[in-house]
Amino acid sequence: MNNVNDTAAVKYARVPTQHTYNDDVFPQIVVNNDNCKTVADTVEFVKANQAELEAQLAKAGALLFRGFPIDSAETFDVFSAGFGYPNFTYQESLSNAVRINFTERVFTANEAPKDVEIFLHHEMAQTPISPSKLFFFCQYAAEEGGATPLCRSDKLFEALKAENPELARDFKEKGLKYTTTMPAANDANSGQGRSWKSTLSVESVEEAEAKLQELGYSWQWMDDGSLKAITPVLPAVIELDDGSETFYNQLIAAYMGWKGVRENPSSAITFGDDSAIPKEGLERVAELSEDFTFDLEWQDGDVAIVDNYRAMHGRRPYSGDRKRVVLVALVASER
């Protein structure tokens, strides 16, 4: 890290791999100004500079905090709570990823095996209820690999509009439907292995159907006890407060990572009018996303805040004997 700006209360650093868009850097990196000796000091720093930090997050889409005294799920809980945002718990989410809670606010980012890549997505964009911001905390970085790719979805959609305006218009006007299958019991070997009881926070088939109906889903019970659920029409593109449009969806993760979807995309993703999304369009979106992706190479103690509307995230595979531990806390949507 170099080029530290130490003239202000908030100190920023640059790394060679950061992206620059209209003089804004992505992600913005905040480093300890040497006054934060404890987590309490860090919370005071956040409160004193929150307006500036939020302005930077809104422009950049992601902030990385490096060198602050955050070293456990508990100190991460205190830090993330210090922003005063409304909490979004794992239990109340419709996430289909298996996770482990450490505190009510803090849980593991994903329990998928380390050789499984988790492709770019907006958190829970395939559900009617999604968080507005994500806090990530790297307690232990992997020995090799394990970066968190971050992608500017607003820049991705800008590029897609310029290259293929008809496809971009279809995404914006038609929206999307997602089909997912929730197993009868948690499957820790899958990135989508959360059971339907856990996902829907229910105990019975009757409660599950009532919850699905309330959320606008259609559904089918499978012979093995799993639940096939189809969402109502959800957005593929949303407009942000600054007037920019962002590619807010789960398409890349679904196409690249969900079982059987590359062979038959319509098995899991369609336009909102039930028409098929062109496979070549999905391929091109995945390719284009690479141009706007920064790999966050974690160091122990790092914390990142990601604007879930402006930036996608994922997880690179990793290796080594050291267990990678990245925890997350979510912020409820204010939309």
Side-chain angles (χ1 to χ4, degrees), residues 64-65 68-77 79-80 102 106-109 134-141 148 296 298-305 324-329:
L64 172 64
F65 291 79
F68 290 86
I70 301 166
D71 59 5
S72 65
E74 291 71 26
T75 52
F76 174 54
D77 188 306
F79 173 81
S80 58
F102 283 77
V106 174
F107 46 91
T108 53
L134 321 172
F135 286 84
F136 290 103
F137 163 55
C138 178
Q139 188 170 12
Y140 303 116
T148 291
L296 172 49
W298 291 108
Q299 296 179 14
D300 290 2
D302 281 351
V303 175
I305 308 177
R324 176 189 187 272
V325 178
V326 174
L327 308 181
V328 67

Side-chain angles (χ1 to χ4, degrees), residues 4-13 29-34 45:
V4 175
N5 171 13
D6 58 4
T7 61
V10 180
K11 290 173 63 174
Y12 300 100
I29 301 174
V30 180
V31 292
N32 194 338
N33 62 10
D34 298 328
F45 163 80

Side-chain angles (χ1 to χ4, degrees), residues 297-317:
E297 304 284 356
W298 291 108
Q299 296 179 14
D300 290 2
D302 281 351
V303 175
I305 308 177
V306 178
D307 181 335
N308 193 39
Y309 300 131
R310 196 177 291 277
M312 285 187 278
H313 67 281
R315 190 198 72 181
R316 305 294 189 195

Side-chain angles (χ1 to χ4, degrees), residues 156-172 237 247 271 277-285 288:
L156 169 59
F157 191 64
E158 197 175 286
L160 181 64
K161 280 194 295 186
E163 182 178 297
N164 192 335
E166 182 179 355
L167 180 61
R169 185 171 59 251
D170 281 345
F171 281 129
K172 182 178 178 181
V237 179
F247 199 55
F271 285 120
I277 303 169
K279 187 172 182 178
E280 61 272 17
L282 293 166
E283 291 277 1
R284 185 58 185 145
V285 164
L288 272 176

